[in-house]
Amino acid sequence: MKTNSDIKTEISFEDFKAQVLNDYKLAVTSRECSLLGRREVLTGKAKFGIFGDGKEVPQIAWAKAFKNGDFRSGYYRDQTFMMAIGELTIEQFFAGLYANTDLKEEPMSAGRQMGGHFATHSLDENGNWKDLTQQKNSSSDISPTAGQMPRLLGLAQASKIYRDVKGIDTSKFSDQGNEIAWGTIGNASTSEGLFFETINAAGVLQVPMIISVWDDEYGISVHAKHQTTKENISEILKGFQRDNDNEGYEILRVKGWDYVNLIETYEMAAKIAREEHVPVLIHVQELTQPQGHSTSGSHERYKSQERLTWEREHDCNLKMRNWMIAHNIANEETLTALEKDIKKAVREGKKAAWTNFLKPILKEKNECVSLLENLANASSNKVFIEKLTNDLKAITEPNRKDAISTARKALRYVINEDSNAKQELIHWIENFFAEVQPKYSSDLLNETESATIHIEEVKPTYADQPKMVDGRVVIRDNFDAIFSKYPEALIFGEDTGNIGDVNQGLEGLQEKYGELRIADTGIREATIVGQGIGMAMRGLRPIAEIQYLDYLMYALQIISDDLATVRYRTKATQKAPLIVRTRGHRLEGIWHSGSQMGGILNLVRGIHVLVPRDMTKAAGFYNTLLESDEPALVVECLNGYRLKEPLPTNIGAFKTPIGVVETLKEGTDITLVSYGSTVRIVEQAAKELLEVGIDAEIIDVQSLLPLDLNHDIVKSVAKTNRLMVIDEDMPGGASAYILEHILNEQNAFQYLDSQPKTLAAKPHRPAYGTDGDYFSKPSTEDVFEAVYAIMHEVSPDDFPKLR
């Protein structure tokens, strides 16, 4: 069931009536799903519900203007739209509500997201791109309000790139840049900074983006008078309206219950955006929210009786119904019969979805019960196991955890027993986790053959007497090779274009490759990353540059909630292989210290975090990443651009392996592990330690996420029997993360003869200046003395106390 999007064809009145009736059927179906969905939450079958009731009619009008190749970046009220474009059935709606883990039953996220979060499949079962021009596309939703906006900008900019940049293979991604990126947002969420940042950026870039603001005057319980100046978002955005002398937006307003004007408004907006590449904002006013914000509360608590009466009278479905009767499109009897049939269809769809959800879980429960009965009969603790078994039997609508939890508890009663029944239960538990755990944990990273871990290292090659150049020259020449090799690659950020980035790593490349591929942006980190996410979702290979690592904080929410979760939250049906480029470490001062690694590592699982010690290693990471399709953050060493490096002869071809450490110096007394700029300090300290008879082994981890996939660090610890991890992050940050991995993942504790140590910066941000750096972050002397103290404890006679 979907709406007819061919709104330009001349049709008879009878055909017109049929279209309108079909649209009304869609609206009522969606509403019934919302009403019944709320009841399913209140009865406990579903955990939470947030629905699109009150927004049905405008979403049907929107769907009529939405074409193959277009993309949606919306929020959790857009169920009617998804039904209208044929991408959401009644059964799928309820499968999402129940969190069905079968992707065929719940294609939006296989139960990983709560209901109301929608997506279409951009990838086939092998992880390859489908033809996005031949389908209607929805990027996967996220819950953070306004979080969909930065990605929307990139989805729209992709059309501009595909239209204006020559040489890109567009066959699966674009039809001459004619695609529109459609965004939706609630009126209250337009208060978020991400909304305003995106609005401004889209106006500057002039991209084909249409934003629908669903305005029902409330943000949860808070009225618009507390949300928006003048209580009207389109009113305060008047300054963005384009005119004869200035580019900007086309701003349209329409009543959310006016079926005819809605269709005309969306048709007009689509024509402007698609043909002129101009952003459009549609303020859809006078909408209602019949069930309130969500199932967590009732809107009767905060809306007056007057407002509730107004909402009942202005319900968009009711208004459409009355309009149909007034214009002889349908009579009361016809509509009543139609509504009755829809209620029945929704109930049947709900029932089918619940049956399909429960079927495999009941099978698992019955298997467990049978095994527990066998275990009880073979055990001296039969009475206790039977109690567990009977409790499990009594659960008529179980969750998966009920069976596995009961099985694990039952094992406690047979710890000192041995029987075939016990072994069968253990085998069942192990198989259960092997089969079921991936339903909830798979696809955080790429699990196909295109994963970075499958890309072989290619070492840099050098002439007999290599030319020594500034590190920035290595990275610049490598980027030149990248943009020559990959026409779909582009880079953008603050000072990235005209001046070739603040450290001249892109010197001269804008002149060579054009302003669209090597582009300057405004100071707006969140939407810089958002541009990259959206363009990567449409087949381009963007590199989003954040000038300094400290500034990544502005974009960390988008990186964490959106970029890092794309593959996971869609169960590998979408991807966004964005590379985020930044620079940091050893820059001085509170706001430019560049060492927030501990926080980053804990917030961005799902992307690679790479920390090369020099520009050759960094260049190799870019080459590896562009051969794969995974997102990554590359942190270049800020103090490395002017340090001399030998210039490789195979620029653009060498590849740094991801998740592989490098041993920089062999040693026998202690293993020193570090990364980035701190490696140079460790290397100097190791030279000075040799002078007092301490031979340290130095390992550069190179990659923090993933970390040491081959477990090479523990091999070093097995040789030296001592370990220290050094970095310039705060205590408990990245060095603690590395140490935890070495001890708990690699089991290095069994080889240690001394307490493992971390050496990090002071627990405050670094003070400014050379002395501020020295007294805030680890110095050569700090490393020397910390290592010496360990060796003093080992052998006080050989290494007398320093001080």
Side-chain angles (χ1 to χ4, degrees):
M1 179 175 59
K2 59 182 180 180
T3 188
N4 188 336
S5 60
D6 189 6
I7 55 180
K8 298 180 181 179
T9 304
E10 293 291 333
I11 58 174
S12 67
F13 183 65
E14 290 303 314
D15 288 339
F16 172 71
K17 285 201 302 182
Q19 281 191 23
V20 174
L21 275 169
N22 184 63
D23 288 347
Y24 182 69
K25 183 178 180 181
L26 267 169
V28 175
T29 299
S30 180
R31 177 66 60 85
E32 287 300 317
C33 285
S34 296
L35 296 172
L36 193 52
R38 181 182 179 86
R39 288 198 287 273
E40 290 299 276
V41 174
L42 297 180
T43 60
K45 285 185 176 179
K47 298 291 287 187
F48 182 76
I50 193 159
F51 306 111
D53 47 301
K55 317 308 191 274
E56 293 89 353
V57 175
Q59 290 186 19
I60 290 169
W62 164 27
K64 290 180 180 293
F66 196 91
K67 304 295 184 184
N68 283 350
D70 286 358
F71 261 86
R72 165 190 169 273
S73 181
Y75 82 136
Y76 39 75
R77 304 286 185 197
D78 294 346
Q79 72 195 46
T80 309
F81 169 79
M82 295 299 291
M83 290 178 172
I85 64 169
E87 293 294 336
L88 181 67
T89 66
I90 296 169
E91 289 83 356
Q92 289 167 349
F93 172 89
F94 284 101
L97 199 63
Y98 301 141
N100 193 318
T101 57
D102 187 338
L103 194 62
K104 293 179 181 178
E105 301 285 341
E106 202 285 270
M108 304 301 153
S109 74
R112 294 180 176 186
Q113 297 217 76
M114 68 178 68
H117 293 69
F118 305 113
T120 53
H121 295 188
S122 300
L123 309 177
D124 63 22
E125 292 180 353
N126 298 316
N128 300 314
W129 288 108
K130 298 170 71 175
D131 188 342
L132 304 184
T133 68
Q134 298 302 308
Q135 64 182 43
K136 294 177 170 64
N137 303 287
S138 174
S139 61
S140 174
D141 295 335
I142 58 175
S143 286
T145 57
Q148 70 274 25
M149 297 300 295
R151 179 196 334 131
L152 172 65
L153 178 66
L155 291 169
Q157 190 184 4
S159 291
K160 187 182 186 80
I161 298 298
Y162 281 128
R163 177 172 288 187
D164 296 332
V165 175
K166 307 304 179 186
I168 303 175
D169 180 5
T170 66
S171 56
K172 291 185 176 182
F173 305 109
S174 182
D175 177 16
Q176 300 179 330
N178 290 323
E179 302 78 24
I180 297 172
W182 302 79
T184 64
I185 191 168
N187 57 295
S189 292
T190 62
S191 301
E192 294 276 11
L194 293 176
F195 173 80
F196 282 97
E197 189 173 316
T198 303
I199 286 287
N200 181 60
V204 170
L205 291 171
Q206 289 293 284
V207 290
M209 181 178 93
I210 299 177
I211 303 170
S212 296
V213 179
W214 307 138
D215 191 347
D216 55 30
E217 290 193 21
Y218 283 85
I220 308 181
S221 65
V222 180
H223 189 267
K225 65 184 179 183
H226 302 296
Q227 304 273 4
T228 310
T229 303
K230 299 183 179 181
E231 301 181 31
N232 189 315
I233 189 62
S234 60
E235 182 68 20
I236 64 174
L237 290 178
K238 275 184 176 179
F240 286 88
Q241 174 65 52
R242 63 178 180 161
D243 54 38
N244 291 333
D245 299 318
N246 299 285
E247 293 180 333
Y249 275 74
E250 191 64 41
I251 299 177
L252 307 173
R253 297 182 186 178
V254 63
K255 305 299 183 187
W257 44 262
D258 190 336
Y259 175 74
V260 174
N261 280 332
L262 282 163
I263 293 173
E264 292 173 350
T265 299
Y266 275 92
E267 181 180 2
M268 180 194 305
K271 181 177 175 62
I272 293 169
R274 205 178 299 281
E275 295 179 4
E276 301 179 50
H277 271 203
V278 169
V280 182
L281 183 136
I282 305 175
H283 188 184
V284 185
Q285 300 173 290
E286 296 190 12
L287 287 170
T288 67
Q289 203 155 268
Q291 296 187 117
H293 174 75
S294 71
T295 55
S296 62
S298 170
H299 63 156
E300 283 83 359
R301 292 185 300 160
Y302 54 83
K303 291 178 181 175
S304 67
Q305 285 301 315
E306 181 182 14
R307 173 67 191 187
L308 291 169
T309 299
W310 182 91
E311 289 199 5
R312 286 191 291 271
E313 293 172 350
H314 287 77
D315 184 293
C316 63
N317 287 11
L318 176 63
K319 283 279 194 177
M320 182 178 180
R321 191 182 198 277
N322 293 340
W323 173 82
M324 292 166 66
I325 293 172
H327 288 80
N328 297 319
I329 293 171
N331 56 37
E332 177 72 32
E333 182 180 0
T334 299
L335 294 179
T336 300
L338 177 66
E339 291 156 359
K340 183 178 179 181
D341 290 342
I342 290 171
K343 287 176 186 264
K344 180 181 178 183
V346 172
R347 285 196 303 270
E348 290 175 347
K350 180 213 62 120
K351 183 178 179 181
W354 180 247
T355 299
N356 291 335
F357 168 71
L358 211 54
K359 186 176 179 180
I361 301 176
L362 287 172
K363 179 177 179 291
E364 293 159 3
K365 171 197 161 183
N366 293 336
E367 289 174 353
C368 185
V369 165
S370 178
L371 291 166
L372 290 173
E373 288 175 341
N374 293 339
L375 184 69
N377 291 330
S379 173
S380 59
N381 287 316
K382 179 177 181 179
V383 63
F384 300 105
I385 299 171
E386 284 183 334
K387 172 66 167 60
L388 289 175
T389 307
N390 290 333
D391 287 346
L392 180 58
K393 283 181 179 179
I395 304 174
T396 57
E397 295 179 340
N399 291 301
R400 278 202 161 93
K401 77 175 187 67
D402 294 317
I404 189 64
S405 175
T406 302
R408 295 169 78 182
K409 288 177 180 177
L411 279 181
R412 301 172 192 175
Y413 292 110
V414 292
I415 290 174
N416 297 315
E417 299 177 7
D418 190 19
S419 66
N420 289 334
K422 176 182 176 180
Q423 294 306 315
E424 288 174 356
L425 183 62
I426 291 172
H427 182 69
W428 183 84
I429 291 172
E430 291 173 348
N431 284 347
F432 186 94
F433 275 109
E435 183 176 327
V436 172
Q437 188 68 52
K439 297 179 185 295
Y440 305 93
S441 303
S442 69
D443 301 299
L444 179 64
L445 298 170
N446 185 356
E447 297 178 7
T448 72
E449 288 303 312
S450 62
T452 55
I453 60 173
H454 299 307
I455 295 176
E456 295 289 332
E457 177 182 14
V458 176
K459 293 184 179 296
T461 56
Y462 298 97
D464 291 339
Q465 294 182 319
K467 181 179 180 182
M468 299 300 292
V469 298
D470 290 346
R472 72 165 189 91
V473 174
V474 176
I475 204 82
R476 180 201 65 191
D477 290 358
N478 196 76
F479 275 132
D480 190 4
I482 283 171
F483 296 125
S484 176
K485 180 179 180 180
Y486 299 101
E488 67 274 20
L490 59 154
I491 191 168
F492 46 91
E494 299 158 16
D495 299 313
T496 297
N498 183 44
I499 70 169
D501 89 37
V502 291
N503 296 102
Q504 297 291 279
L506 296 165
E507 179 190 22
L509 298 189
Q510 186 182 78
E511 184 177 355
K512 184 173 183 178
Y513 295 103
E515 293 184 2
L516 287 176
R517 293 190 66 195
I518 318 293
D520 287 310
T521 70
I523 300 176
R524 47 174 182 80
E525 285 78 11
T527 46
I528 289 172
V529 171
Q531 284 176 251
I533 297 171
M535 286 194 281
M537 282 183 151
R538 291 192 57 190
L540 294 169
R541 294 308 309 266
I543 303 171
E545 181 170 315
I546 303 299
Q547 192 163 89
Y548 297 116
L549 182 60
D550 307 76
Y551 303 167
L552 196 77
M553 299 302 105
Y554 287 101
L556 191 55
Q557 184 266 323
I558 291 300
I559 295 173
S560 177
D561 290 330
D562 196 354
L563 177 62
T565 68
V566 169
R567 192 180 290 269
Y568 171 77
R569 74 178 189 264
T570 64
K571 202 172 184 182
T573 62
Q574 292 187 0
K575 63 182 176 181
L578 166 65
I579 300 171
V580 180
R581 180 198 185 202
T582 190
R583 50 189 68 81
H585 300 137
R586 306 316 292 204
L587 183 61
E588 299 165 353
I590 291 175
W591 309 118
H592 298 81
S593 58
S595 292
Q596 303 88 351
M597 300 308 299
I600 292 168
L601 288 170
N602 285 296
L603 290 169
V604 303
R605 302 301 171 95
I607 73 172
H608 299 315
V609 176
L610 311 177
V611 282
R613 68 179 180 272
D614 58 33
M615 296 305 144
T616 301
K617 289 292 182 180
F621 277 137
Y622 291 117
N623 297 336
T624 299
L625 290 167
L626 284 164
E627 200 167 298
S628 177
D629 63 351
E630 295 176 80
L633 169 67
V634 181
V635 184
E636 298 170 12
C637 290
L638 187 57
N639 57 0
Y641 295 105
R642 299 295 175 185
L643 295 179
K644 297 298 183 181
E645 296 183 30
L647 183 66
T649 57
N650 58 340
I651 284 285
F654 59 87
K655 293 188 278 287
T656 307
I658 289 175
V660 178
V661 305
E662 182 176 1
T663 300
L664 303 181
K665 175 188 175 300
E666 299 273 352
T668 57
D669 294 325
I670 188 170
T671 300
L672 304 182
V673 179
S674 191
Y675 62 87
S677 294
T678 309
V679 168
R680 285 190 283 276
I681 291 171
V682 173
E683 287 181 308
Q684 179 59 38
K687 291 178 183 177
E688 297 175 10
L689 286 164
L690 276 174
E691 296 172 3
V692 295
I694 299 172
D695 188 10
E697 184 148 301
I698 302 174
I699 294 178
D700 177 10
V701 302
Q702 302 192 105
S703 167
L704 289 169
L705 287 177
L707 174 62
D708 191 10
L709 294 173
N710 298 327
H711 288 193
D712 289 325
I713 297 176
V714 71
K715 299 169 189 174
S716 172
V717 175
K719 177 174 65 171
T720 67
N721 308 120
R722 278 169 280 278
L723 170 67
M724 181 178 289
V725 183
I726 307 104
D727 81 335
E728 61 178 277
D729 200 10
M730 289 191 181
S735 57
Y737 155 79
I738 295 169
L739 181 62
E740 187 275 338
H741 182 89
I742 297 170
L743 296 181
N744 292 337
E745 295 292 323
Q746 300 188 15
N747 296 321
F749 63 88
Q750 61 187 314
Y751 301 113
L752 290 169
D753 292 338
S754 299
Q755 179 185 349
K757 296 280 189 176
T758 61
L759 179 62
K762 298 295 186 290
H764 55 71
R765 296 194 181 201
Y768 175 63
T770 299
D771 287 341
D773 177 80
Y774 185 86
F775 290 102
S776 300
K777 295 186 176 184
S779 64
T780 302
E781 291 73 36
D782 291 331
V783 177
F784 180 98
E785 292 178 5
V787 173
Y788 189 91
I790 292 175
M791 299 308 296
H792 164 72
E793 184 181 28
V794 173
S795 180
D797 293 336
D798 293 330
F799 305 102
K801 190 173 182 178
L802 268 178
R803 58 183 173 90

